[in-house]
Each structure stands twice: as structure tokens, then as C-alpha cells.
Amino acid sequence: EQQEEDTLRELRLFLRCVTDRLILDRRFKAFSKPVDKEQVPDYLTVVRHPMDLSTVLSKIDRQKYITVREYLHDVDQIWENALEYNPEDDPYDRQIRHRACALKDTVHAIIKDELKEDFERSCEQIKETR
Ligand SMILES: O=C(C1CCC1)N1C[C@@H]2C[C@H]3C[C@@H](O)[C@@H](O)[C@]2(C1)O3
């Protein structure tokens, strides 16, 4: 009913606010758009579930996330993919992995600091009833 739609609208506003801050952070530029499959032909053989911050924004607007947990599952996919595809002991891969770890720690710290437990519980409750 309307209260549920109000809750999900507030969830989308919160998730856009978090995602916009990640996209604005220069450290996370490499994560902001899908990896170009033409430039990196073996990417899809290594990374089974590609994800990036522009795709996350699109999913927010298409109302794909009912809970913060579902959102975090996609953002975690971004940095996990980067660690998996860029494992070499060379300066480029090491920089990507450092930034992937920063993305992980940043998004989890924002959620811990800014998400009220009761709000996530309300979202999880809505998810159960659907
Ligand atoms: O994994 C990534 C992105 C970094 C986080 C997502 N890429 C895979 C390619 C390997 C490496 C060098 C370039 O070939 C460039 O295309 C990529 C992009 O970086």
C-alpha cells in the first residue's frame, strides 16, 4: 500500500545518494562504466557477472532493489570482479585492486554510518510479502 511505496521511494533516494558519491570519487572512475567487451575480449570468460556503477544507477531507477542487501550484492560484485580479473603483481593491477578494496570499504562504511537498521528491516519485510 502507500506506506510501502513511500518506504521504497526513500530507499531509492538513499541508494542514488550513495551511488552518486561513489561515481564522483575519482578513485572509482574505472568502476563507473561497464568493461568494454570489444576492448577486453576475454573479460566475459573470466568474469561471469559483470557489474558497474552506471548499471547500479539504472537498476535503482528501474526499481530492481527492494532492500539495501540487494544493492550491496551488486556493488560487492563490482570490486570482486576487479580483484578476480586484475590479479597480477604489476603496478596497474595493484592499483586497480587497491581501488577495489577502497570501493568495498567506502560503501560498507557509508551504509553502516547512514542506514538505520529499522529502515532496512522495513524493506526486508516488504520483500518477504512480495
Ligand atoms: O577490470 C577492469 C576494470 C578495472 C575495474 C574494472 N578492466 C579489465 C581491463 C584490464 C585492465 C587494462 C585495460 O584493458 C582495461 O580495459 C581494463 C578494464 O583494466
Side-chain angles (χ1 to χ4, degrees):
E1 71 275 19
Q2 200 46 49
Q3 288 85 331
E4 290 192 353
E5 290 318 307
D6 291 345
T7 300
L8 296 181
R9 191 172 307 108
E10 185 174 351
L11 173 68
R12 293 193 294 273
L13 286 171
F14 173 68
L15 295 182
R16 284 192 199 94
C17 169
V18 176
T19 310
D20 286 345
R21 283 141 72 185
L22 300 175
I23 286 178
L24 283 172
D25 191 319
R26 295 199 337 241
R27 293 175 294 172
F28 307 145
K29 185 166 174 42
F31 308 117
S32 59
K33 291 289 179 354
V35 168
D36 186 331
K37 318 295 185 270
E38 274 140 48
Q39 283 174 8
V40 192
D42 76 332
Y43 190 73
L44 291 181
T45 67
V46 176
V47 172
R48 291 298 178 199
H49 304 288
M51 189 47 64
D52 69 280
L53 292 170
S54 69
T55 300
V56 167
L57 267 187
S58 166
K59 286 182 73 171
I60 293 169
D61 293 345
R62 290 182 290 133
Q63 308 196 17
K64 300 296 186 185
Y65 303 123
I66 307 279
T67 65
V68 174
R69 184 194 309 272
E70 290 172 342
Y71 167 85
L72 279 177
H73 184 269
D74 273 355
V75 177
D76 285 344
Q77 196 71 65
I78 298 172
W79 58 262
E80 286 164 3
N81 292 343
L83 295 182
E84 187 177 359
Y85 190 81
N86 304 282
E88 304 306 327
D89 193 19
D90 68 60
Y92 181 88
D93 284 22
R94 276 203 302 274
Q95 182 186 63
I96 289 283
R97 293 201 300 276
H98 184 70
R99 290 168 168 172
C101 295
L103 174 63
K104 168 182 177 252
D105 293 341
T106 301
V107 72
H108 285 270
I110 289 174
I111 299 299
K112 180 176 192 292
D113 179 42
E114 300 181 18
L115 173 68
K116 298 191 188 96
E117 283 170 12
D118 281 353
F119 184 78
E120 173 64 357
R121 267 198 291 273
S122 306
C123 296
E124 300 272 2
Q125 194 59 41
I126 294 170
K127 183 163 188 264
E128 279 163 26
T129 63
R130 296 201 173 187

